[in-house]
């Protein structure tokens, strides 16, 4: 065999052995590759709220239905809808000719009684006079407080019956609302607690205060036992009118912000926790505390929004890994997950 053929055979064998060796190395890497691709996790800021959720409708601070106290013909209407009135202002006057005559005649008779009658007769006529004066007063509809004529539907010449309604006066210096609070939450109520109200007619949040609640509960038509708490709203936008509906939250405690991340983003070195920032590769020491089964709360070292490289492998059962695009999932509802010891250092 020539020397050239021997060299060619050696080269071919070398190439074959190299290919085989490369294949074995690649196969070994494939066999040793983790069954799960390592991911990234985004640090989230979660707001914990301790609140009582409520709903209802708001009402004016005061409201008066304008009702006739006796039957008669309307002789005068002194205001219009939208006008401001003071307490004691006369809104309308019914015909009181008969009542004025009866009072005048009674006063004439009283004058005679003072001269010729007994003290007992005079006392009786004085009492009777009070009744006649009240009958004259009943021929008027009067404002019971300072307010605005919300509506008025009556004209001179109209004939009214007793208890006919002709309009409404409201005082909107502030608004009130009555909300149902479950019997299990009543013990959490305190005077002056903030109430955040949301209206469909207004894009912002309107704040109120818990003003009072009764010392007795009641059973609703649904069979639930509740206490009806009263809320007062001092400052509110002009878009909000009486009888507008709302949903709200009575704030038992001020909201608390927690910085959280899935526990697989936490590594441990000598039992000291650390994270690795995905963008820069920076290794950073942190302080953590358990926060449910899958999460830890960051006490120091992160501010929220950072994207971290995965440091520990999620378990096969019930694993909950972050997405490779950095949008790690956070617990729903803004409430702390219950129980668990996620994020504790390895022993």
């Amino acid at each position: 065999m020539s020397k050239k053929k021997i060299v060619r055979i050696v080269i071919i064998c070398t190439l074959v052995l190299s290919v085989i060796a490369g294949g074995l190395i690649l196969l070994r890497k494939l066999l040793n590759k983790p069954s799960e691709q390592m991911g990234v996790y985004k640090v989230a800021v979660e707001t914990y709220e301790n609140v009582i959720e409520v709903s209802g409708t708001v009402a004016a601070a005061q409201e008066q239905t304008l009702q006739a106290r006796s039957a008669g013909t309307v002789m005068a209407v002194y205001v219009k809808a939208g006008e401001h009135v003071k307490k004691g202002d006369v809104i309308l006057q019914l015909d009181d000719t008969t009542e004025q005559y009866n009072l005048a005649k009674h006063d004439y008779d009283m004058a005679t009684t003072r001269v010729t009658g007994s003290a007992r007769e005079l006392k009786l006529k004085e009492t009777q006079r009070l009744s006649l004066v009240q009958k004259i007063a009943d021929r008027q509809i009067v404002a019971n407080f300072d307010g605005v004529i919300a509506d008025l539907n009556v004209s001179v010449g109209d004939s009214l019956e007793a208890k006919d309604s002709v309009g409404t006066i409201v005082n909107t210096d502030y608004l009130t609302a009555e909300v149902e609070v479950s019997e299990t939450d009543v013990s959490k109520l305190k005077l002056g607690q903030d109430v955040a109200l949301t209206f469909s007619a207004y894009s912002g949040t309107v704040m109120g205060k818990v003003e009072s609640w009764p010392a007795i509960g009641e059973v609703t038509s649904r069979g639930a036992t509740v206490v009806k708490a009263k809320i007062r709203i001092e400052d509110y936008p002009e878009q909000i009118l009486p009888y507008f509906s709302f949903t709200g939250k009575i704030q038992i405690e001020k909201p608390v912000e927690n910085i959280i991340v899935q526990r697989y983003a936490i590594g441990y070195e000598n039992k000291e926790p650390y994270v690795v920032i995905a963008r820069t590769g920076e290794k950073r020491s942190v302080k953590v505390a358990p926060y449910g089964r899958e999460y830890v709360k960051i006490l120091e070292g992160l501010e929220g929004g950072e994207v971290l490289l995965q440091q520990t492998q999620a378990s096969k059962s019930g694993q909950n890994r972050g997405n490779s695009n950095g949008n790690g999932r956070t617990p729903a509802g803004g409430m702390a997950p219950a129980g668990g010891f996620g994020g504790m250092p390895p022993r």
Side-chain angles (χ1 to χ4, degrees):
M1 182 181 296
S2 66
K3 187 175 181 179
K4 288 184 177 181
K5 286 185 178 180
I6 294 174
V7 172
R8 188 180 298 172
I9 292 172
V10 170
I11 292 174
I12 292 173
C13 291
T14 302
L15 290 173
V16 170
L17 291 174
S18 297
V19 171
I20 294 174
L24 290 174
I25 292 173
L26 178 61
L27 179 61
R28 183 177 180 181
K29 286 183 177 180
L30 290 173
L31 292 175
N32 292 333
K33 184 178 179 181
S35 59
E36 301 281 342
Q37 182 181 0
M38 301 301 282
V40 293
Y41 298 94
K42 189 172 183 179
V43 181
V45 178
E46 181 186 66
T47 301
Y48 173 85
E49 292 183 314
N50 187 2
V51 299
I52 301 173
E53 295 188 353
V54 294
S55 62
T57 57
V58 293
Q62 293 174 287
E63 182 174 329
Q64 176 188 351
T65 300
L66 301 176
Q67 286 184 318
R69 288 183 284 184
S70 58
T73 302
V74 178
M75 302 301 294
V77 180
Y78 299 108
V79 297
K80 297 178 181 178
E83 291 185 350
H84 288 264
V85 294
K86 296 289 186 180
K87 180 178 180 179
D89 285 354
V90 178
I91 307 301
L92 65 81
Q93 175 71 56
L94 295 177
D95 178 20
D96 63 352
T97 305
T98 300
E99 288 74 19
Q100 292 287 359
Y101 169 79
N102 290 338
L103 179 61
K105 183 177 183 303
H106 183 77
D107 286 346
Y108 176 82
D109 293 341
M110 276 187 65
T112 303
T113 301
R114 285 191 180 94
V115 176
T116 62
S118 65
R120 186 173 182 181
E121 284 181 297
L122 183 59
K123 182 66 174 177
L124 182 62
K125 285 190 175 294
E126 287 175 347
T127 302
Q128 187 178 6
R129 188 179 191 281
L130 295 175
S131 176
L132 293 173
V133 170
Q134 183 61 49
K135 287 183 179 180
I136 292 175
D138 288 346
R139 308 301 288 173
Q140 298 176 334
I141 297 179
V142 178
N144 293 338
F145 51 81
D146 295 355
V148 178
I149 303 295
D151 64 89
L152 190 64
N153 185 24
V154 66
S155 301
V156 174
D158 289 351
S159 180
L160 300 181
E161 298 294 329
K163 296 186 178 181
D164 278 354
S165 298
V166 297
T168 307
I169 301 176
V170 294
N171 173 7
T172 55
D173 288 346
Y174 60 90
L175 299 177
T176 65
E178 197 173 64
V179 297
E180 293 182 354
V181 177
S182 170
E183 59 181 321
T184 58
D185 290 328
V186 173
S187 61
K188 303 175 185 176
L189 290 176
K190 293 181 181 178
L191 294 178
Q193 281 172 326
D194 288 332
V195 186
L197 307 174
T198 302
F199 294 83
S200 57
Y202 182 65
S203 59
T205 299
V206 179
M207 298 304 297
K209 298 281 188 183
V210 174
E211 186 176 53
S212 64
W213 63 92
I216 187 172
E218 56 184 87
V219 179
T220 69
S221 58
R222 309 183 305 274
T225 303
V226 299
V227 164
K228 291 189 175 179
K230 189 175 182 180
I231 296 170
R232 178 168 174 147
I233 305 105
E234 292 282 358
D235 298 317
Y236 61 95
E238 60 182 7
Q239 295 95 318
I240 305 303
L241 301 176
Y243 298 110
F244 277 20
S245 61
F246 66 86
T247 57
K249 297 177 181 180
I250 300 176
Q251 296 178 355
I252 307 306
E253 298 174 344
K254 291 184 178 181
V256 176
E257 287 190 345
N258 293 320
I259 300 173
I260 63 172
V261 70
Q262 285 174 283
R263 62 189 180 95
Y264 310 112
I266 308 299
Y268 291 91
E269 191 171 74
N270 298 323
K271 296 189 178 181
E272 293 297 324
Y274 69 88
V275 297
V276 177
I277 308 298
R279 185 173 62 86
T280 62
E282 174 195 355
K283 184 177 179 181
R284 186 182 300 179
S285 296
V286 293
K287 289 187 178 181
V288 299
Y291 196 77
R293 292 177 60 87
E294 299 292 328
Y295 290 81
V296 294
K297 179 165 61 175
I298 306 298
L299 304 179
E300 290 183 16
L302 298 173
E303 296 179 354
E306 298 92 344
V307 178
L308 309 178
L309 293 176
Q310 182 175 343
Q311 299 302 310
T312 58
Q313 188 65 44
S315 60
K316 291 286 186 180
S317 176
Q319 61 185 12
N320 184 15
R321 298 179 59 249
N323 298 327
S324 58
N325 61 6
N327 294 324
R329 297 174 60 188
T330 58
M335 302 295 289
F341 295 95
M344 295 300 290
R347 297 181 180 179

